[in-house]
Amino acid sequence: MAQGKLAIKARIRSVDSTKKITKAMQLVASSKLKKQKQYMEENREYAHCLKETVSDILMSLKDSKHPYLQRHEGKAVTIVFTSDMGLCGGYNANVLRKLEKEIGNEDDMIMIGTRGVNWIKNRNFHVIKEEMDLEDECYNELAVIADELLMQYRNQEIGSIRILYTKFINSVSFEPDYVTLLPIEDVAHQEDAYERDTDFEPSGNQILDTLIPMYVRSLLYSYYLQTKTSEQASRRMAMESATDNAEEIKETLELQYNQARQAAITQEITEIVGGVNALE
């Protein structure tokens, strides 16, 4: 019985130690989430304005033959965002499940994030580039990737540029999403579009030479920030759940320990009473 109590007490100490670690990680993730949301919101406003600007220009250039606006045959390239660290619940699993089931291995892949790189190594996918351990301020690294893909698209070496990322809805809700950067959606023929008479200086096509690369780089970075924000939110939720589970296990073990101790005390009293009765 004593040995059983010691084992339970050792488990209580172990669970309590784990609880302290998960609680600390939850607090760290909460702090990072707040900071990451600020980065994301600041960038989201800029990206939204840039997207609207491109849409307005395309409405006025609906007959443009600019290379970035042409649709052509070719293999798609998909950029996949995953995390570099674990302990973030089903965050990476949801992204990779969507990649495997809905996209498949037809596209060329650019994997960003250690978890995705390790996952795809022994699978039948064509990976053309890998990036790991990117910092929050990684706009330049992502811009290099965007520029390489833009050049290939302009030379008709690839047919489209896509992104698989995690869309941030709120601090407890986020989901994998699949979007196309190029070719740009034909906003000029949407039902709510209206005719515009716009004069461009320099010409509209010259503006697109600069604006569309800026647009692609900006959106790529914006989706990356959404992904990182979702990662921190998922990690915070996972660590909060782990902390709550550890507390429940600790309470259960403490109950078992108290029951074992009570049983030991009862047995000792019974043995004492039995001994006294034997002496009478």
Side-chain angles (χ1 to χ4, degrees), residues 170-279:
N170 55 51
S171 296
V172 295
S173 182
F174 29 84
E175 58 187 23
D177 197 15
Y178 189 50
V179 297
T180 299
L181 289 183
L182 280 182
I184 295 175
E185 189 178 34
D186 191 5
V187 296
H189 293 92
Q190 292 179 358
E191 292 181 2
D192 60 346
Y194 52 90
E195 293 295 329
R196 296 190 177 198
D197 185 13
T198 306
D199 292 328
F200 292 98
E201 181 63 38
S203 68
N205 283 340
Q206 285 181 286
I207 292 175
L208 291 178
D209 282 337
T210 302
L211 193 59
I212 289 184
M214 187 187 303
Y215 163 86
V216 171
R217 296 185 204 113
S218 175
L219 285 187
L220 182 59
Y221 184 57
S222 180
Y223 290 134
Y224 173 78
L225 289 180
Q226 282 200 59
T227 296
K228 295 298 287 183
T229 306
S230 300
E231 176 190 342
Q232 296 302 336
S234 181
R235 182 170 290 110
R236 184 195 63 79
M237 290 177 59
M239 291 302 100
E240 182 179 8
S241 177
T243 301
D244 292 343
N245 290 339
E247 180 62 29
E248 291 179 8
I249 293 172
K250 182 182 176 182
E251 290 176 357
T252 301
L253 290 172
E254 286 176 343
L255 179 61
Q256 292 177 0
Y257 178 79
N258 291 333
Q259 290 174 339
R261 187 177 65 173
Q262 187 63 44
I265 293 172
T266 301
Q267 182 178 353
E268 290 174 1
I269 292 174
T270 302
E271 289 174 354
I272 292 172
V273 172
V276 170
N277 291 335
L279 292 175

Side-chain angles (χ1 to χ4, degrees), residues 92-148:
N92 290 306
N94 292 335
V95 173
L96 297 173
R97 189 181 302 115
K98 189 176 184 71
L99 169 61
E100 196 167 28
K101 291 184 177 180
E102 298 186 22
I103 301 173
N105 57 5
E106 296 299 321
D107 297 359
D108 289 340
M109 299 292 172
I110 296 178
M111 301 301 297
I112 298 179
T114 304
R115 297 289 164 169
V117 169
N118 292 336
W119 177 87
I120 209 168
K121 277 183 178 177
N122 298 319
R123 288 174 169 82
N124 186 28
F125 290 87
H126 184 222
V127 181
I128 60 176
K129 191 176 183 66
E130 298 174 352
E131 288 285 351
M132 295 180 284
D133 299 319
L134 293 179
E135 301 294 333
D136 290 339
E137 301 295 332
C138 64
Y139 178 86
N140 291 334
E141 290 87 342
L142 294 177
V144 169
I145 295 174
D147 290 343
E148 290 175 356

